Short mmCIF file of all heavy atoms in Angstrom, two decimals:
data_model
loop_
_atom_site.label_atom_id
_atom_site.label_comp_id
_atom_site.label_asym_id
_atom_site.label_seq_id
_atom_site.Cartn_x
_atom_site.Cartn_y
_atom_site.Cartn_z
N HIS A 78 27.38 138.74 -51.47
CA HIS A 78 26.23 139.56 -51.00
C HIS A 78 25.04 139.33 -51.92
O HIS A 78 25.00 139.83 -53.04
CB HIS A 78 26.65 141.04 -51.02
CG HIS A 78 25.59 142.00 -50.56
ND1 HIS A 78 25.87 143.09 -49.75
CD2 HIS A 78 24.25 142.07 -50.78
CE1 HIS A 78 24.76 143.77 -49.51
NE2 HIS A 78 23.75 143.17 -50.13
N THR A 79 24.09 138.50 -51.44
CA THR A 79 22.84 138.32 -52.19
C THR A 79 21.65 138.25 -51.24
O THR A 79 21.79 137.99 -50.05
CB THR A 79 22.81 137.02 -53.05
OG1 THR A 79 22.43 135.91 -52.23
CG2 THR A 79 24.12 136.73 -53.74
N HIS A 80 20.49 138.48 -51.84
CA HIS A 80 19.21 138.30 -51.14
C HIS A 80 18.43 137.30 -52.00
O HIS A 80 17.37 137.61 -52.54
CB HIS A 80 18.44 139.61 -51.06
CG HIS A 80 19.20 140.77 -50.47
ND1 HIS A 80 18.90 141.28 -49.24
CD2 HIS A 80 20.23 141.53 -50.94
CE1 HIS A 80 19.71 142.32 -48.98
NE2 HIS A 80 20.52 142.49 -50.01
N LYS A 147 21.08 136.31 -47.63
CA LYS A 147 20.57 137.02 -46.44
C LYS A 147 19.10 136.72 -46.18
O LYS A 147 18.35 136.46 -47.12
CB LYS A 147 20.70 138.53 -46.65
CG LYS A 147 22.14 138.99 -46.87
CD LYS A 147 22.20 140.48 -47.17
CE LYS A 147 23.54 140.88 -47.73
NZ LYS A 147 24.66 140.76 -46.79
N TYR A 150 13.54 139.61 -45.65
CA TYR A 150 12.22 139.85 -46.22
C TYR A 150 11.16 139.16 -45.38
O TYR A 150 10.03 138.96 -45.83
CB TYR A 150 12.15 139.36 -47.67
CG TYR A 150 12.99 140.15 -48.63
CD1 TYR A 150 13.97 139.53 -49.40
CD2 TYR A 150 12.81 141.52 -48.78
CE1 TYR A 150 14.75 140.25 -50.28
CE2 TYR A 150 13.59 142.25 -49.67
CZ TYR A 150 14.55 141.61 -50.41
OH TYR A 150 15.33 142.33 -51.29
N LEU A 180 19.36 139.29 -41.37
CA LEU A 180 19.13 140.71 -41.69
C LEU A 180 17.70 141.13 -41.34
O LEU A 180 16.99 141.72 -42.15
CB LEU A 180 19.46 140.95 -43.19
CG LEU A 180 19.22 142.32 -43.81
CD1 LEU A 180 19.99 143.44 -43.13
CD2 LEU A 180 19.52 142.32 -45.30
N HIS A 183 16.25 145.04 -41.77
CA HIS A 183 16.32 145.41 -43.19
C HIS A 183 15.35 146.55 -43.46
O HIS A 183 15.57 147.40 -44.32
CB HIS A 183 15.98 144.17 -44.05
CG HIS A 183 16.37 144.27 -45.49
ND1 HIS A 183 15.90 143.40 -46.43
CD2 HIS A 183 17.20 145.11 -46.15
CE1 HIS A 183 16.42 143.72 -47.62
NE2 HIS A 183 17.21 144.75 -47.46
N ASP A 218 23.58 141.39 -40.23
CA ASP A 218 23.63 142.54 -41.14
C ASP A 218 22.55 143.53 -40.69
O ASP A 218 21.57 143.15 -40.04
CB ASP A 218 23.36 142.04 -42.57
CG ASP A 218 23.69 143.02 -43.67
OD1 ASP A 218 23.88 144.22 -43.37
OD2 ASP A 218 23.77 142.59 -44.84
N HIS A 248 25.01 146.84 -44.55
CA HIS A 248 24.59 147.65 -45.70
C HIS A 248 24.78 149.10 -45.28
O HIS A 248 24.07 149.58 -44.37
CB HIS A 248 23.10 147.46 -45.97
CG HIS A 248 22.74 146.24 -46.74
ND1 HIS A 248 22.76 144.99 -46.20
CD2 HIS A 248 22.31 146.11 -48.03
CE1 HIS A 248 22.35 144.13 -47.13
NE2 HIS A 248 22.08 144.77 -48.24
N GLN A 251 24.52 153.53 -48.91
CA GLN A 251 23.91 153.33 -50.23
C GLN A 251 23.43 154.69 -50.78
O GLN A 251 23.64 155.00 -51.94
CB GLN A 251 22.74 152.35 -50.15
CG GLN A 251 22.09 152.07 -51.50
CD GLN A 251 21.02 150.98 -51.45
OE1 GLN A 251 20.69 150.47 -50.38
NE2 GLN A 251 20.47 150.65 -52.60
N ASP A 270 29.18 146.98 -47.08
CA ASP A 270 28.71 146.75 -48.45
C ASP A 270 27.86 147.92 -48.96
O ASP A 270 27.09 148.51 -48.19
CB ASP A 270 27.87 145.47 -48.49
CG ASP A 270 28.62 144.24 -47.99
OD1 ASP A 270 29.38 144.36 -47.00
OD2 ASP A 270 28.44 143.15 -48.55
N HIS A 271 27.97 148.22 -50.22
CA HIS A 271 27.33 149.31 -50.98
C HIS A 271 28.33 150.44 -51.21
O HIS A 271 28.93 150.49 -52.25
CB HIS A 271 26.05 149.86 -50.33
CG HIS A 271 24.82 149.10 -50.71
ND1 HIS A 271 24.28 149.13 -51.96
CD2 HIS A 271 24.04 148.27 -49.99
CE1 HIS A 271 23.21 148.36 -52.01
NE2 HIS A 271 23.05 147.81 -50.82
N LEU A 293 28.73 146.96 -55.11
CA LEU A 293 27.60 146.23 -55.70
C LEU A 293 27.13 146.98 -56.96
O LEU A 293 26.08 147.62 -56.96
CB LEU A 293 26.46 146.15 -54.68
CG LEU A 293 26.87 145.64 -53.27
CD1 LEU A 293 25.77 145.89 -52.25
CD2 LEU A 293 27.22 144.15 -53.32
N ASP A 322 24.55 141.56 -55.13
CA ASP A 322 23.39 142.11 -54.42
C ASP A 322 22.07 141.57 -55.00
O ASP A 322 21.03 142.22 -54.88
CB ASP A 322 23.39 143.64 -54.45
CG ASP A 322 22.49 144.27 -53.40
OD1 ASP A 322 22.08 143.56 -52.46
OD2 ASP A 322 22.17 145.47 -53.52
N PHE A 323 22.10 140.41 -55.64
CA PHE A 323 20.90 139.83 -56.27
C PHE A 323 19.69 139.96 -55.33
O PHE A 323 19.67 139.40 -54.24
CB PHE A 323 21.18 138.34 -56.55
CG PHE A 323 20.21 137.67 -57.51
CD1 PHE A 323 20.48 136.38 -57.96
CD2 PHE A 323 19.07 138.31 -57.97
CE1 PHE A 323 19.61 135.74 -58.84
CE2 PHE A 323 18.20 137.68 -58.86
CZ PHE A 323 18.48 136.39 -59.29
N ASN A 324 18.70 140.76 -55.73
CA ASN A 324 17.48 140.95 -54.93
C ASN A 324 16.39 141.52 -55.83
O ASN A 324 16.69 142.03 -56.91
CB ASN A 324 17.77 141.88 -53.73
CG ASN A 324 17.84 143.34 -54.13
OD1 ASN A 324 16.83 143.99 -54.36
ND2 ASN A 324 19.05 143.88 -54.24
N SER A 327 16.57 146.14 -55.98
CA SER A 327 17.62 147.05 -56.43
C SER A 327 18.64 146.40 -57.36
O SER A 327 19.50 147.09 -57.89
CB SER A 327 18.35 147.65 -55.22
OG SER A 327 19.15 146.68 -54.59
FE1 FE B 502 21.88 144.06 -50.31
#
Side-chain angles (χ1 to χ4, degrees):
H78 180 139
T79 83
H80 307 251
K147 300 176 195 293
Y150 292 122
L180 176 59
H183 197 194
D218 194 345
H248 279 74
Q251 182 174 4
D270 303 39
H271 273 290
L293 310 167
D322 198 15
F323 195 172
N324 78 76
S327 71

